[in-house]
Amino acid sequence: MKKYVLIVFLAVFSNLVFAQVENDAPTMTKKEKRKAKTEQQYKETKKLLENKNFVLESDFLKSRRGVTYPVSSNLNFVKVDSSTAIIQIGSPWGYGPNGVGGVTAKGKITKWVLKEDKKRNAFYLSMNVMTPIGIYDVNMTIGPSGGTLARLTGLRSGRLTFDGDLVTAENSRVYEGRSL
């Protein structure tokens, strides 16, 4: 009987000791957790941009008149792979020259300027893409978590804005149509 009482006593006592050790560990406040998460996302986004291997999957397109359209992110994207870029707009309801209801322009990146704003944890990317159907300027504003606005202009008047998230090329779920 004494053995059973001793075993129960040790079991209860050991649980109290371990519970106290866990509670003594320093805990992070919500603000500190959010800051740590933002810092980690910022480092991942920086790595993506420096490796020049990412995809901007656009959830919204904005016309030059400011009208915003929700779009399918697997058909509307800007993809960068080293020295090549692909700009595509598409629609799941129609057929176009690219086979997905829009246009796909694939070309060489001729200018690449990446600036980092450490105060705001943001990046600014400016690149020129030379394709068979035109030369495009793409100016991106990228937040620490990968949220991106990309303004696309060409030689003709007009502007199109892609609004979406930056993802790795490996994790991307885009469907590339035929390029012109």
Side-chain angles (χ1 to χ4, degrees):
M1 182 73 169
K2 289 181 181 182
K3 286 183 182 180
Y4 294 120
V5 172
L6 183 63
I7 291 173
V8 171
F9 176 74
L10 288 175
V12 171
F13 183 72
S14 64
N15 284 339
L16 289 174
V17 169
F18 285 122
Q20 230 177 12
V21 170
E22 289 179 39
N23 290 337
D24 288 344
T27 58
M28 294 173 60
T29 64
K30 287 183 181 181
K31 186 176 181 180
E32 291 170 335
K33 287 179 184 177
R34 188 171 48 244
K35 186 175 180 180
K37 183 179 178 183
T38 301
E39 186 64 31
Q40 179 63 30
Q41 290 174 332
Y42 178 76
K43 289 177 184 176
E44 290 172 5
T45 302
K46 183 176 181 177
K47 185 177 177 184
L48 273 179
L49 294 169
E50 289 174 345
N51 290 339
K52 294 184 182 181
N53 191 12
F54 60 86
V55 179
L56 165 58
E57 294 181 348
S58 181
D59 298 316
F60 298 96
L61 291 179
K62 184 187 277 189
S63 70
R64 69 178 178 184
R65 295 190 175 121
V67 180
T68 302
Y69 302 97
V71 294
S72 177
S73 62
N74 63 336
L75 297 177
N76 297 275
F77 62 89
V78 177
K79 182 177 183 178
V80 173
D81 184 14
S82 185
S83 63
T84 304
I86 300 167
I87 302 166
Q88 177 174 293
I89 56 172
S91 168
W93 301 289
Y95 295 100
N98 63 353
V100 291
V103 178
T104 303
K106 182 176 184 177
K108 182 180 178 184
I109 298 172
T110 57
K111 176 185 145 192
W112 179 276
V113 178
L114 178 62
K115 294 181 182 177
E116 182 177 3
D117 184 352
K118 291 185 180 182
K119 182 178 179 184
R120 292 189 177 101
N121 282 349
F123 299 95
Y124 304 101
L125 172 63
S126 177
M127 65 178 170
N128 292 358
V129 182
M130 189 177 296
T131 71
I133 59 173
I135 300 171
Y136 298 98
D137 295 323
V138 181
N139 295 303
M140 295 183 176
T141 304
I142 305 139
S145 63
T148 305
L149 279 175
R151 288 168 196 80
L152 175 73
T153 57
L155 295 176
R156 297 183 184 150
S157 66
R159 179 180 71 215
L160 185 63
T161 302
F162 290 79
D163 183 359
D165 295 313
L166 224 57
V167 296
T168 63
E170 295 82 31
N171 293 337
S172 175
R173 52 187 181 84
V174 296
Y175 176 78
E176 185 180 332
R178 290 186 305 269
S179 59
L180 302 175

